[in-house]
Amino acid sequence: MKQIYAGFIFLLCSLSLAAQVNHPGINWAEYMKRQTLRWDSIGTSYYTGILLGNGLLGTNIYQEDDRTIRFDIGRTDVTDQREHQGTGLSEPLISRPRLPIGRMVLKTAGVITGAKMNLDIYNARAEGTIYTTKGAVEFSSFVPANTNVIYIKAKGTQQEKNVSWQFVAEQSKSPRMNQNNSGNPDTYPENPASTLQKSGTFTVCHQLLLNGGGYATAWTAKKGSNESTMLISVGYDGDGKSDEIKEATTAINTFITAKMPVVWAAHQKWWNQFYQKSFLSLPDQRMESFYWIQLYKLASATRANKPMVDLMGPWFSSKTPWPGIWWNLNTQLTYSPVFTANHMELAKSLFNTLNKNLQNLINNVPEEWRKDAAAIGRISGYDLVAPLREAEKDNGQFELGNLTWTLFYYYQYYAYTKDKEELTRYIYPLLKRSVNHLMYHLKKDEAGVLHLPSSFSPEYKYAEDANYALSSLRWGLETLIALDKNENLNDADRGKWESTLEKLVPYPVDDTGFMIGKDVPLSSSHRHYSHLMMIYPYRLINADQVDKRELIEKSMNHWISLKGALQGYTFTGAAAINAMLGKGNESYDLLNQLFDNFIKPNTLYQESGPVIETPLAAATSIQEMLLQSYGGKARVFPAIPDQWKNVSFDKLRAEGGFLVSSNRENGETSFIRVFSTKGDTCRIQTDMKVSMVSSDKRKELAFTVYENEGKMNLSFSTLPGETILLAAGYDTSKFNILPVKATIRENWSWGLKARTAAKIK
């Protein structure tokens, strides 16, 4: 039952000073040492390697054999550029797949016996010592934030003083052709063999492509008496119009000219500033470090002006069956944590890709619909060519809703920034096209109810009125209507959208909860939550709707009760849904199951090959426990596990362009600080008994407040640049955001670390 405490409360002038009190800041360098990955032995696989990257170029460091350390080299946009042929599910994986480059290997004189290494994510640098039967090799490596060069310095002792390098090129061939997959062509003209050549002081491995483009790996080493500094770069020309060798050698020359101290200082500054855009600290050291490592991986994998993240980022594996981009979960989950983390710039790589390839998104639909519709199928290359045609249903190709789900995150960008120009120029028109595509498929029955045709519910089977497609259509319609109303867009189609919503068939439901679709129950294990999209992430059915909670729980519990096919992202989705329900203990347990059973030592994830999205989705699930923002309301600490007595976060972003900070001490929220970037009405839900509300810009602040189910709900207007403080008391010494002490797995570090010292509670 709701209880109204007050309509308007006017605060005294003196209280407005509380939001301006200066307090000790976070010692970032010291705090981020907690997040360092450590290796007590050297990894021997892709999933135990050390990852470095700058959003385009990257390396993965691990042991190849008894006398070889490999530095895998990857550049995200190095892709084949064959003509698109046919419409098969695997076609983009043959015509426009990621291509392997190769690896730089360090040969040791003796047999490798051990290692002591670490990855300092705060400064994005790896270093350590590799021990052999004939000495040791010390190394350090980084990929400069602003220069496309891989830097490796190695120094040997005893009989390892003569540091020896060798480049090993990989065949320029789609990894898909190395496997017996349906859809592979009978004939596959191979790209020419690579050639080695000299270019000034550089050695270059030059790889031509059949279309006239190519890529080049250039390197040079400066040797001393017992050490060697290796510089590597990769140039790429996708269409035969640029010079890939010049690009690679110029990058190295730029590095050399700038001098190492200058390059390092710029690199360090970039990374340090990146992390300080937001902050969180948890009492569970394993989970806290995991969160920061995911931000590290995202910034290593993409930047605003770089290619979007596929399934590998810059860390290529020739063993992958997935050398492309997937649009029925992977892309969406990959980008899901950037909004709350206040790293909106990272989302731009995805959105720029959508906008750059708009015509291909339009061409993915039947010709007669291209005037106002757009879509995307399951798999594409970076050009987003992935036709979606009802007549082509083999292998579950006909998935309705992929583009709309992607646009949910583009809309999140607007909701979290209030960037109206981005909305009107890009988001709104593309969302309209996506919704129009779904509406073109609607058919009316004798009762006037609108239905969707049989379409594939990702990872399960075909169904009419599939909940995956229905959820996407309903969210798209409701969002378009709300935008037209709230932004005064005066769209002539609004009446059509409202009529469609009224007549749209309800979600198919049975006694187990939400079904896959009409006449298709969830009767076997299902790793994807494609049938539950109306719950998460769309939240069309959510915990605020008291009469829907039983249905939410029934549906979720039935889904995860069917064992056998559950995978990593099953647990991230279930954790997020439990967090929405306020079940912090359950969310925490699900994430711990994920870490225990699926996450690799370097926090990568594997399903047949590398798939980058699941650990990143787990970062989102952690955020959902600390701050949820939907329906115009920010919920602070909505799902904190009982074990987490102390938690803090700073500048996490919420809908409306608000940066929210809060602290939880001894199981109680002590204060909430809200910074308004745009000036708008802010709504906050908290379990804190608020006794003070103040502004750093106004002597008096009006707000409304009511209590519901033990939570206080406050609403107040804000000014651009204003900070509002909500507190349970007047002791300003408590209004600090500082790291909390780790009390759970307090000695944990990711990497190949001996676990005997880790205290598990």
Side-chain angles (χ1 to χ4, degrees):
M1 179 167 178
K2 296 181 181 180
Q3 179 180 354
I4 303 296
Y5 279 142
F8 296 97
I9 299 175
F10 295 92
L11 299 174
L12 299 175
C13 174
S14 59
L15 296 185
S16 69
L17 298 175
Q20 305 177 57
V21 174
N22 291 321
H23 297 291
I26 299 163
N27 184 332
W28 278 92
E30 188 65 29
Y31 170 70
M32 290 300 289
K33 286 181 182 178
R34 285 166 46 169
Q35 323 312 337
T36 298
L37 291 86
R38 304 184 188 281
W39 279 256
D40 286 342
S41 60
I42 189 164
T44 57
S45 75
Y46 181 93
Y47 303 98
T48 56
I50 299 176
L51 306 173
L52 297 168
N54 71 352
L56 179 68
L57 189 66
T59 185
N60 189 356
I61 308 165
Y62 53 101
Q63 181 178 339
E64 183 171 298
D65 59 39
D66 286 350
R67 299 173 188 262
T68 306
I69 308 302
R70 60 188 288 170
F71 294 77
D72 288 357
I73 299 168
R75 176 169 158 158
T76 312
D77 60 353
V78 171
T79 53
D80 216 337
Q81 295 294 316
R82 299 166 187 254
E83 289 295 321
H84 286 289
Q85 296 180 354
T87 58
L89 186 66
S90 298
E91 192 277 330
L93 305 180
I94 304 300
S95 62
R96 302 297 169 95
R98 285 283 299 276
L99 290 175
I101 294 172
R103 59 193 182 275
M104 186 64 68
V105 299
L106 189 158
K107 293 287 187 177
T108 61
V111 173
I112 297 168
T113 58
K116 196 78 171 179
M117 309 181 299
N118 67 71
L119 171 57
D120 169 11
I121 65 169
Y122 189 53
N123 297 296
R125 175 177 61 186
E127 58 186 2
T129 303
I130 299 161
Y131 303 99
T132 79
T133 54
K134 295 186 177 182
V137 177
E138 298 176 2
F139 81 95
S140 64
S141 183
F142 73 106
V143 183
N146 302 305
T147 308
N148 287 326
V149 170
I150 298 170
Y151 169 95
I152 313 166
K153 184 175 182 178
K155 181 179 180 179
T157 66
Q158 301 176 32
Q159 296 179 55
E160 299 293 354
K161 288 184 177 181
N162 184 24
V163 177
S164 175
W165 301 99
Q166 179 185 346
F167 179 74
V168 180
E170 291 197 51
Q171 186 179 9
S172 183
K173 179 180 181 180
S174 171
R176 197 77 173 182
M177 291 302 300
N178 296 327
Q179 298 143 12
N180 185 25
N181 291 295
S182 61
N184 284 0
D186 295 330
T187 59
Y188 177 79
E190 295 193 0
N191 289 316
S194 62
T195 59
L196 277 180
Q197 60 191 73
K198 295 293 288 186
S199 178
T201 59
F202 303 104
T203 305
V204 177
C205 179
H206 192 202
Q207 175 64 63
L208 294 174
L209 300 177
L210 291 176
N211 76 322
Y215 50 99
T217 307
W219 64 92
T220 185
K222 181 181 178 181
K223 287 201 170 187
S225 59
N226 64 341
E227 66 180 35
S228 177
T229 300
M230 172 64 69
L231 302 177
I232 309 163
S233 186
V234 179
Y236 173 64
D237 168 28
D239 54 16
K241 296 179 180 178
S242 57
D243 188 335
E244 57 270 28
I245 295 177
K246 183 178 180 181
E247 181 190 359
T249 56
T250 298
I252 298 175
N253 278 326
T254 299
F255 180 99
I256 294 171
T257 302
K259 305 297 184 185
M260 172 63 177
V262 175
V263 174
W264 171 251
H267 169 83
Q268 190 176 35
K269 180 180 179 181
W270 190 96
W271 278 99
N272 292 178
Q273 290 180 341
F274 167 79
Y275 288 114
Q276 293 180 34
K277 288 186 177 180
S278 63
F279 171 81
L280 65 75
S281 184
L282 310 175
D284 184 330
Q285 185 58 47
R286 178 170 74 163
M287 196 163 288
E288 179 185 86
S289 291
F290 175 87
Y291 178 82
W292 288 107
I293 295 165
Q294 303 326 299
L295 293 187
Y296 167 78
K297 283 158 57 182
L298 269 169
S300 298
T302 193
R303 304 284 167 82
N305 60 343
K306 303 297 184 184
M308 64 173 286
V309 187
D310 61 354
L311 271 68
M312 293 179 285
W315 308 295
F316 187 89
S317 169
S318 57
K319 297 179 180 179
T320 183
W322 326 119
I325 301 170
W326 262 251
W327 294 96
N328 61 0
L329 175 135
N330 307 75
T331 292
Q332 293 88 337
L333 296 195
T334 294
Y335 282 89
S336 62
V338 303
F339 307 99
T340 300
N342 195 26
H343 284 292
M344 316 305 286
E345 77 284 358
L346 296 181
K348 282 286 191 169
S349 62
L350 169 60
F351 307 148
N352 290 342
T353 302
L354 295 174
N355 297 326
K356 176 183 176 182
N357 296 285
L358 174 61
Q359 190 57 53
N360 287 340
L361 292 173
I362 293 171
N363 293 343
N364 285 336
V365 307
E367 187 173 358
E368 62 271 22
W369 296 348
R370 292 175 185 171
K371 63 184 183 297
D372 61 0
I376 197 164
R378 184 189 301 178
I379 307 168
S380 80
Y382 287 110
D383 60 6
L384 310 193
V385 172
L388 192 61
R389 302 186 180 99
E390 190 172 2
E392 297 159 2
K393 289 189 173 183
D394 293 345
N395 298 317
Q397 289 188 64
F398 187 57
E399 291 174 335
L400 291 176
N402 291 346
L403 180 58
T404 312
W405 186 10
T406 305
L407 292 176
F408 169 80
Y409 293 100
Y410 206 171
Y411 171 76
Q412 293 293 95
Y413 178 85
Y414 165 70
Y416 280 65
T417 64
K418 290 300 180 180
D419 185 338
K420 191 165 183 178
E421 181 180 355
E422 191 83 10
L423 172 72
T424 55
R425 185 176 179 184
Y426 296 115
I427 303 171
Y428 189 79
L430 188 52
L431 180 57
K432 278 189 67 173
R433 281 186 169 274
S434 172
V435 170
N436 283 342
H437 175 253
L438 292 169
M439 290 177 66
Y440 273 124
H441 288 285
L442 290 170
K443 302 293 183 184
K444 188 179 294 186
D445 66 15
E446 294 179 354
V449 177
L450 294 171
H451 299 267
L452 285 169
S454 177
S455 65
F456 198 70
S457 183
E459 307 292 345
Y460 204 75
K461 60 178 66 174
Y462 278 97
E464 294 180 20
D465 294 332
N467 271 326
Y468 177 74
L470 277 176
S471 298
S472 295
L473 176 55
R474 194 175 296 276
W475 173 82
L477 288 167
E478 290 190 6
T479 302
L480 286 173
I481 292 168
L483 286 171
D484 181 63
K485 178 181 178 181
N486 297 334
E487 302 296 339
N488 299 313
L489 300 176
N490 300 315
D491 198 309
D493 288 335
R494 180 170 161 185
K496 178 177 67 175
W497 301 330
E498 292 172 336
S499 175
T500 300
L501 264 183
E502 290 175 3
K503 299 174 183 176
L504 191 61
V505 63
Y507 302 118
V509 174
D510 64 9
D511 58 3
T512 67
F514 288 109
M515 303 169 68
I516 297 298
K518 180 184 177 183
D519 300 327
V520 181
L522 178 63
S523 57
S524 60
S525 188
H526 183 24
R527 62 182 178 176
H528 200 307
Y529 46 94
S530 53
H531 63 303
L532 301 180
M533 299 282 287
M534 73 293 288
I535 301 173
Y536 189 81
Y538 292 139
R539 292 188 171 104
L540 299 169
I541 306 293
N542 61 67
D544 286 353
Q545 302 161 346
V546 178
D547 60 329
K548 300 294 185 183
R549 291 180 188 172
E550 182 180 354
L551 177 59
I552 294 171
E553 292 198 45
K554 180 193 298 184
S555 302
M556 180 187 62
N557 291 335
H558 175 65
W559 166 48
I560 61 176
S561 72
L562 300 172
K563 310 298 183 183
L566 305 185
Q567 288 293 334
Y569 54 78
T570 309
F571 293 87
T572 70
I577 294 172
N578 271 291
M580 183 180 69
L581 292 167
K583 296 187 172 185
N585 291 335
E586 289 81 352
S587 293
Y588 187 41
D589 178 64
L590 287 159
L591 288 174
N592 279 319
Q593 290 183 56
L594 171 73
F595 292 170
D596 291 342
N597 300 315
F598 294 95
I599 301 299
K600 304 301 182 181
N602 58 7
T603 80
L604 288 178
Y605 174 71
Q606 179 182 17
E607 284 187 24
S608 300
V611 274
I612 202 170
E613 81 293 320
T614 292
L616 302 175
T620 306
S621 299
I622 293 170
Q623 293 169 347
E624 300 281 14
M625 299 163 74
L626 274 61
L627 179 69
Q628 295 175 25
S629 183
Y630 64 92
K633 181 188 295 184
R635 299 150 180 86
V636 178
F637 295 131
I640 299 301
D642 292 340
Q643 287 180 276
W644 292 8
K645 300 303 181 185
N646 301 316
V647 190
S648 65
F649 66 82
D650 189 33
K651 293 183 291 189
L652 294 185
R653 188 174 280 265
E655 285 185 0
F658 298 108
L659 299 181
V660 183
S661 306
S662 191
N663 183 66
R664 194 168 179 86
E665 189 173 353
N666 296 323
E668 295 184 354
T669 304
S670 55
F671 76 94
I672 300 169
R673 186 180 293 121
V674 179
F675 176 76
S676 177
T677 64
K678 296 292 185 179
D680 202 348
T681 299
C682 181
R683 297 177 178 86
I684 293 285
Q685 183 180 89
T686 175
D687 61 358
M688 179 175 62
K689 300 301 181 184
V690 179
S691 61
M692 183 182 73
V693 181
S694 68
S695 164
D696 68 342
K697 290 190 178 296
R698 290 180 280 176
K699 294 181 179 180
E700 295 181 340
L701 179 67
F703 65 94
T704 62
V705 57
Y706 69 85
E707 184 175 289
N708 184 33
E709 297 183 336
K711 300 288 181 71
M712 293 190 75
N713 294 262
L714 298 98
S715 176
F716 44 87
S717 64
T718 66
L719 304 172
E722 181 179 30
T723 298
I724 306 295
L725 180 70
L726 316 177
Y730 300 89
D731 184 355
T732 60
S733 66
K734 293 183 176 294
F735 304 155
N736 292 331
I737 298 291
L738 293 171
V740 303
K741 182 180 179 181
T743 57
I744 305 167
R745 301 179 178 89
E746 57 263 42
N747 295 315
W748 181 277
S749 64
W750 290 91
L752 284 175
K753 181 98 166 67
R755 300 302 177 199
T756 54
K759 190 174 182 181
I760 309 298
K761 291 188 177 181

